[in-house]
C-alpha cells in the first residue's frame, strides 16, 4: 500500500480504476459544525497513509475505504471522465462586492455548505453591500477559503490575482464525501486530457459523479458512507 515516496507529488486517475496517489500524505478530515449543523471550519484527524504510494478507491464499492480492494472490477465500474478541461478563468462567474470580488464556478461545486449560514450567504453579502463592513468582508473571505472544491475564489481588487490560502500538497478523506486535494497537485486524467492544477479540488470517490474525476455532490444523493 505504500513505498518510497517519489520526488514529485502526483495523482493518477487509472482507467475505470482507483486513484494512484504518489508522494502525498493521506489523512481523514471532517467539518466542525455549529449547534445548528452549519459547517464552520475543517478539523484534520488521523493520518491513514504516509507520503509513499497508495491506491484510493473511486468506485465507492471498496470494503477497505479509502483504499482500493479491487471492487471496481467486480462492480464493472464505469469511470469515464466528464469533468471540463477548460480553465477556471474561462468558466467562472464574477460577483462584484464592496472592496472585493468573488468568482464562482458552479461546475466544481460539491455542496459542502461553507458558503452560508442561517443568517446569510456569500452571495447575499456581496449583493446587499455588506462587504463594505470589515466583519462581513472577513466572513466572506473565510467562507470562500474553506470551500473544498475551489469553486469559490476571491480577489480584493478585480485586476489582481486571487488570494488563496497557503495549503500544503496533501490528500484529505472527507467524511462520507470526496477526496480533498490541496496545494496545486498534478492530477493526470485517465483519458489523457489536460487537467488544470488548482490549490483546492475535490475528487469523487462514491462513483456516481457526472463530472468524474471531480466531485459534483452526488455522494449525498447516493447515500455514500465511509465511517
Amino acid at each position: 500500500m505504500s513505498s518510497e515516496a517519489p520526488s514529485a507529488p502526483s495523482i493518477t486517475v487509472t482507467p475505470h480504476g482507483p486513484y494512484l496517489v504518489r508522494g502525498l500524505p493521506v489523512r481523514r478530515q471532517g467539518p466542525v459544525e455549529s449547534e445548528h449543523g452549519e459547517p464552520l471550519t475543517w478539523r484534520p484527524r488521523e493520518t491513514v497513509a504516509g507520503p509513499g504510494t497508495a491506491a484510493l478507491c473511486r468506485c465507492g464499492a471498496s470494503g477497505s475505504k479509502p483504499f482500493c480492494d479491487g471492487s471496481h472490477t467486480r462492480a464493472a465500474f464505469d469511470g469515464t471522465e466528464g469533468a471540463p478541461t477548460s480553465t477556471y478563468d474561462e468558466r467562472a462567474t464574477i460577483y462584484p462586492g464592496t472592496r472585493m470580488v468573488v468568482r464562482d464556478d458552479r461546475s466544481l461545486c460539491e455542496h459542502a455548505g461553507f458558503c452560508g449560514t442561517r443568517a446569510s450567504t456569500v452571495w447575499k453579502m456581496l449583493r446587499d453591500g455588506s462587504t463594505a463592513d470589515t466583519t462581513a468582508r472577513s466572513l466572506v473571505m473565510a467562507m470562500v477559503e474553506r470551500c473544498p472544491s475551489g469553486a469559490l475564489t476571491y480577489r480584493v481588487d478585480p485586476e489582481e490575482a486571487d488570494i488563496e490560502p497557503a495549503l500544503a500538497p496533501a490528500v484529505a478523506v472527507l467524511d462520507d464525501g470526496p477526496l480533498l486535494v490541496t496545494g496545486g497537485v498534478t492530477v493526470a486524467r485517465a483519458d489523457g486530457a489536460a487537467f488544470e492544477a488548482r490549490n483546492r479540488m475535490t475528487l469523487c470517490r462514491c462513483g456516481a459523479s457526472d463530472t468524474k474525476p471531480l466531485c459534483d455532490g452526488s455522494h449525498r444523493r447516493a447515500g455514500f458512507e465511509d465511517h
Side-chain angles (χ1 to χ4, degrees), residues 6-217:
S7 56
S10 65
I11 298 174
T12 300
V13 182
T14 63
H16 310 297
Y19 302 107
L20 295 184
V21 179
R22 298 180 176 87
L24 295 164
V26 181
R27 66 173 184 272
R28 289 191 178 273
Q29 182 169 304
V32 175
E33 296 182 339
S34 74
E35 64 272 27
H36 306 293
E38 302 156 324
L40 301 175
T41 190
W42 292 104
R43 175 184 285 123
R45 297 204 298 272
E46 71 273 16
T47 297
V48 297
T53 300
L56 302 185
C57 174
R58 74 179 182 108
C59 72
S62 174
S64 58
K65 300 180 186 72
F67 301 104
C68 173
D69 67 357
S71 292
H72 55 279
T73 301
R74 297 187 293 276
F77 171 61
D78 181 359
T80 302
E81 290 152 298
T85 56
S86 54
T87 67
Y88 179 87
D89 287 346
E90 291 170 334
R91 298 187 304 268
T93 299
I94 298 173
Y95 293 91
T98 303
R99 296 190 175 91
M100 71 180 306
V101 170
V102 170
R103 295 192 296 161
D104 180 15
D105 178 0
R106 289 289 84 195
S107 73
L108 300 179
C109 180
E110 66 102 342
H111 309 288
F114 286 89
C115 51
T117 65
R118 292 180 309 141
S120 193
T121 67
V122 167
W123 298 274
K124 183 177 184 297
M125 286 185 279
L126 292 168
R127 187 172 57 249
D128 66 14
S130 295
T131 56
D133 176 73
T134 56
T135 300
R137 193 159 67 252
S138 65
L139 176 57
V140 170
M141 290 176 176
M143 287 176 164
V144 170
E145 289 183 355
R146 288 165 186 156
C147 169
S149 68
L152 295 177
T153 61
Y154 72 88
R155 300 177 176 187
V156 174
D157 186 302
E159 303 305 317
E160 295 179 353
D162 294 334
I163 297 176
E164 278 284 317
L167 301 174
V171 176
V173 180
L174 302 186
D175 293 344
D176 300 331
L179 298 175
L180 166 58
V181 181
T182 58
V185 174
T186 297
V187 177
R189 291 172 55 128
D191 61 12
F195 205 64
E196 183 181 27
R198 293 181 293 112
N199 190 41
R200 296 168 285 148
M201 64 192 313
T202 46
L203 300 179
C204 173
R205 67 188 186 101
C206 73
S209 174
D210 290 328
T211 57
K212 299 182 189 72
L214 300 180
C215 172
D216 67 357

